[in-house]
Amino acid sequence: MFWRGLGGLYFIISPAHCWLSTYPTARKSTVVRRPFSVTATTETYPETISEAISAIESIWKLPTTQSNSPGGCPRFTSKEPSITVLWGRETWDRYQSRKRHWLSIIGFPQSSILRGLLPVLAAYAIWACVVWQRKWTLTSNSVTYLTSPLALMLAFRVNSVSTRLHEGRKLWGALICSARIIASVLAVCGEAVSKETRARCCRLLVAFTWSVKARTRFEGDSADLIVTALLNQEEASRVNAASVPPLVLLSLLRKETISLELSSAAARSVQDSLSELTKAFGGMERLMSTPLSPTYMRHMSRGLFIWLTMLPFGLISAGCTTLPKLLVVFTVTAYILLGIDEIGVQVEQPFDILPVRDLAVVVTRDVQNELLFGF
């Protein structure tokens, strides 16, 4: 009965662990390229457009926009394809390769989960040696009875953090779509939107995007230099001094667009998209400030500790009469279960592993192309 219960726990948890194992982050080059430089050709554009182009080009020299800066890299790293980059054909081909199982096994020693758990696994292995040396035993049923509650707690953990991760990516997707809509509508309105207004709206949208990026990564005032580069001194000082800079930038953008003489459909589209930007940022703030119940997480961790502490007793009773056999079964089981908990910790704050720097580059490139290069 003990082995059936242990096997049932493995088959419940192992697929979820394999699925989530692609989430630890990668520090690889992304498919998103930096917007092409137009510094040498700015004289072909009107003066206000040229100034906006030059200002946006200048932000690529700042630390917070660099892919190798602390703010550009995810907190958790892995050498395998992961959700920390925007995927292209090459990444998908590698991920779907028929050799993926062998590559996963070969790369196991470099696993970020394994490296993070090595101290804990070593401590549990020492405990198993002590139990084997003392020949302490428990009935196998005493461990089996705890298997189902533990599996339910881990399954809930996996489902909850996966939902948070996908919601975080959806919110960034909504921000990108709304920014594109605003830029596209303003770009096609012709003479109703002056070149000065286009340039100013482009600056505000770009500043808002990088300010949201800094806010979701808890980077403090790292976006201040970008705001200073894109806005005039008075507005930059106001934004940088605000407690929530993205909201001030949205207010400036709304003030700039609400007085435009647009058609009713165009005006409604712009204002609705601005509202969507506000909702997306509000959703990101909710994910950042509200984790899963810490009480539940602590209870699950304690339950996992108790179960793993009791497991060597049950394994000895179930037939693990040699130390190597005991250590292999015990450490593999501990790795799988503790790995799920470790992945949950990494994924629970989604903006630590999502490629928010690359997403901000996408918005900057698309808005710039719509509002500044369409002449």
Side-chain angles (χ1 to χ4, degrees), residues 95-291:
Y95 181 68
Q96 297 172 337
S97 170
R98 294 182 178 180
K99 301 178 181 178
R100 63 186 182 275
H101 301 295
W102 295 111
L103 294 174
S104 178
I105 294 172
I106 294 172
F108 181 68
Q110 286 76 43
S111 168
S112 60
I113 299 298
L114 178 63
R115 295 197 304 268
L117 292 177
L118 274 178
V120 180
L121 292 175
Y124 275 116
I126 293 173
W127 169 247
C129 292
V130 171
V131 173
W132 182 84
Q133 183 69 30
R134 299 288 183 173
K135 301 301 180 183
W136 292 333
T137 60
L138 289 173
T139 59
S140 58
N141 287 342
S142 62
V143 180
T144 303
Y145 291 148
L146 300 178
T147 302
S148 295
L150 184 63
L152 288 175
M153 287 192 292
L154 288 171
F156 177 80
R157 168 78 158 164
V158 169
N159 292 335
S160 298
V161 298
S162 299
T163 300
R164 289 173 62 88
L165 178 68
H166 291 299
E167 185 176 1
R169 184 59 181 87
K170 286 180 180 179
L171 290 170
W172 262 99
L175 185 151
I176 293 173
C177 290
S178 298
R180 285 172 172 169
I181 291 172
I182 294 171
S184 178
V185 171
L186 295 178
V188 300
C189 285
E191 297 300 326
V193 181
S194 66
K195 300 177 180 63
E196 292 78 6
T197 301
R198 286 192 183 195
R200 179 161 167 75
C201 288
C202 183
R203 289 170 180 256
L204 289 170
L205 281 171
V206 172
F208 167 77
T209 302
W210 287 99
S211 182
V212 170
K213 179 259 184 186
R215 187 83 175 178
T216 56
R217 280 279 179 88
F218 295 103
E219 293 174 4
D221 57 358
S222 65
D224 288 1
L225 293 176
I226 294 180
V227 173
T228 301
L230 295 177
L231 305 183
N232 61 52
Q233 184 176 359
E234 180 182 353
E235 290 180 340
S237 299
R238 176 189 169 192
V239 172
N240 293 335
S243 58
V244 188
L247 294 183
V248 179
L249 289 166
L250 281 178
S251 297
L252 293 173
L253 188 58
R254 194 179 297 274
K255 181 180 179 181
E256 189 70 25
T257 58
I258 201 168
S259 59
L260 296 176
E261 296 182 358
L262 305 177
S263 65
S264 58
R268 183 167 55 252
S269 177
V270 170
Q271 296 306 316
D272 287 347
S273 296
L274 285 171
S275 297
E276 289 300 317
L277 289 179
T278 305
K279 291 178 182 178
F281 177 62
M284 294 178 193
E285 285 190 310
R286 174 174 53 81
L287 290 178
M288 292 159 50
S289 60
T290 310

